[in-house]
Amino acid sequence: MKVTAASLTLLAVAALPELCVAVPAKRDSSTPTEIQILNFALTLEHLENAFYTQGLQKYTQQDFLDADLPTWARGRWNQIAQHESTHVSFLESVIGDQAVQPCTYSFPDTDPMSFVTTSFMLETVGVSAYSGAAHFLSNSDYITSSAAILAVEARQSAWINSAVLKANPWNTAFDTPLDLNHVWTLASGVIVSCPPSNMPLPVKAFPALSFPAGAQPGQTVQVSFNATTSGQLYVAFIAGLGATFAPLSSQMTVVIPSSLQGVVFPVVTSSDTMVTDNVTIAGPAFLSFHFNSDGVDEP
């Protein structure tokens, strides 16, 4: 599965009036160990660390200026890169000999602006990953350190979207926790391969979900994914602690509701009441609808 720049930033959604709670449910017999969760976090930190290392090697200060980015922007990304490197070192020291090694990656950025939008996606998904996995932790030291990393990821995401992209620094009163497999579906799109010696992670990727570039609230759009299905399907639009559902037509079209704002994670499901692994067909994908300080959508 490959994640394109368009699928990372522009995804269509539709909604019904009902709002259902979408907090990740705890697993039973397959509950991962705390070391597995820490290695899951380390896998994501390795990914971010590689992205910033490679990106800052590719794009010079002049490249950033030629893309009309602020003079101070690249310096801030240097600081973010240092943060991610520190996160990697910290988790490796906590996990010890069982710590997973970096994978091989294929990132979608091709210029400074796609570097910016990919960075925003990675930081935002990182926040959802930490908040979604928190309930698997019981060690108070692990919980505290994970919360400290989550807070930095959230600050970085807000800075990118607000100070650089001149858009909303937050979404709703709650950020969005994601299930492990939903996070892995997004992350695995840029992972080519991982060392066979790495500890197996208790995750799987669902089929990729894509929407047309330029999709906006109020539009009817066609989605695509590669999965064998039967019966009525729905699109669940996860945002904050809830999700709204809309039927997916036989032509794979949905209507994007005008009420959606900020980051939304759309998932194709076989249920119109819950978003769990056993009813997920494809996705999630990553959507960001900007809104201004008056709460008005901005294309």
Side-chain angles (χ1 to χ4, degrees), residues 20-255:
C20 299
V21 173
V23 177
K26 289 189 177 182
R27 303 181 183 190
D28 298 317
S29 59
S30 60
T31 298
T33 66
E34 289 192 298
I35 291 299
Q36 286 178 316
I37 292 300
L38 294 178
N39 263 323
F40 180 69
L42 178 56
T43 299
L44 300 179
E45 295 293 347
H46 275 313
L47 188 158
E48 290 180 318
N49 188 39
F51 171 73
Y52 291 117
T53 299
Q54 294 177 23
L56 292 172
Q57 288 174 347
K58 286 189 293 185
Y59 311 123
T60 65
Q61 172 70 357
Q62 190 59 51
D63 292 329
F64 272 64
L65 296 177
D66 290 344
D68 293 327
L69 291 166
T71 57
W72 40 261
R74 193 176 185 278
R76 292 296 191 197
W77 264 291
N78 274 319
Q79 294 172 356
I80 291 176
Q82 293 167 10
H83 295 165
E84 304 306 344
S85 177
T86 300
H87 294 166
V88 167
S89 298
F90 173 78
L91 288 169
E92 287 177 335
S93 69
V94 171
I95 299 169
D97 293 341
Q98 298 184 75
V100 296
Q101 298 302 306
C103 300
T104 302
Y105 312 96
S106 178
F107 297 112
D109 62 299
T110 57
D111 54 43
M113 280 310 302
S114 58
F115 170 85
V116 171
T117 56
T118 303
S119 174
F120 173 60
M121 185 278 297
L122 292 178
E123 296 299 326
T124 305
V125 171
V127 174
S128 293
Y130 276 98
S131 57
H135 64 91
F136 291 120
L137 299 176
S138 58
N139 182 298
S140 60
D141 290 336
Y142 295 166
I143 293 172
T144 299
S145 57
S146 295
I149 294 175
L150 183 157
V152 172
E153 303 282 347
R155 287 174 184 268
Q156 292 171 171
S157 171
W159 172 79
I160 296 165
N161 211 41
S162 180
V164 180
L165 295 177
K166 307 301 181 184
N168 46 291
W170 46 71
N171 302 304
T172 69
F174 297 95
D175 227 294
T176 305
L178 287 179
D179 172 84
L180 295 181
N181 289 335
H182 288 157
V183 172
W184 187 245
T185 299
L186 292 167
S188 64
V190 299
I191 296 176
V192 177
S193 63
C194 294
S197 59
N198 278 1
M199 170 186 288
L201 297 176
V203 293
K204 67 176 181 179
F206 295 110
L209 177 62
S210 62
F211 290 72
Q216 294 294 324
Q219 295 178 346
T220 299
V221 297
Q222 188 173 51
V223 305
S224 62
F225 56 91
N226 185 17
T228 301
T229 63
S230 62
Q232 177 65 57
L233 298 180
Y234 305 86
V235 180
F237 309 102
I238 309 172
L241 298 181
T244 53
F245 294 79
L248 187 63
S249 77
S250 58
Q251 291 76 39
M252 298 295 129
T253 60
V254 291
V255 179

